[in-house]
Amino acid sequence: DFRDCKFVKSDLRGSSFKEARLSRCNFGEANLAPLMFKNPDGTNRVMPVNMNGVTLRYSVFRNAKLPGIRLKGADLSFADFTGADLRKADLTGTNLNGAIFAGADLEGAMLDPGVDVL
């Protein structure tokens, strides 16, 4: 339960908040990009932020970095993603009621068929 927490400008790369309660949190300008690891054989391993099934009602993600984030089945009601980087984010099965995406980059984001966030 992380309700009402402030994560402004936090580095949360590779974090897992799966099924957590994060209502009314402020993630403004936070970095929730994937964490990159170098394997012993020289290949790269990528660990995206996992927020599948979380509750983010009324949370703020203004200008946050969220490329590749997993938000499958999350409640994003009235969340503010103004100016956020959501490239290749998984937003399938999410509740987007009242969510704000003004100026957000949603290139390659996965959305349910028929969902329009503009």
Side-chain angles (χ1 to χ4, degrees):
D1 190 338
F2 293 95
R3 288 178 282 191
D4 299 302
C5 285
K6 290 182 175 63
F7 296 98
V8 176
K9 297 184 181 179
S10 294
D11 185 347
L12 300 166
R13 291 174 296 161
S15 298
S16 178
F17 290 99
K18 187 177 179 183
E19 298 181 13
R21 293 180 185 156
L22 292 155
S23 295
R24 300 175 308 276
C25 288
N26 189 343
F27 290 90
E29 299 182 37
N31 186 356
L32 292 103
L35 188 58
M36 307 289 224
F37 293 98
K38 183 76 85 178
N39 292 322
D41 65 1
T43 59
N44 292 325
R45 183 169 56 118
V46 178
M47 184 185 310
V49 171
N50 186 348
M51 287 192 167
N52 288 335
V54 301
T55 302
L56 289 161
R57 295 176 62 86
Y58 298 97
S59 290
V60 176
F61 289 88
R62 287 178 171 256
N63 301 310
K65 296 176 186 172
L66 308 156
I69 193 167
R70 295 179 179 166
L71 287 162
K72 189 172 188 172
D75 184 353
L76 307 178
S77 301
F78 307 100
D80 184 356
F81 292 93
T82 300
D85 178 356
L86 288 157
R87 289 173 293 142
K88 297 184 180 179
D90 185 351
L91 299 165
T92 56
T94 57
N95 181 351
L96 299 174
N97 182 43
I100 302 165
F101 292 93
D105 186 349
L106 290 155
E107 182 182 341
M110 293 176 276
L111 295 159
D112 291 328
V115 171
D116 185 16
V117 295
L118 299 176

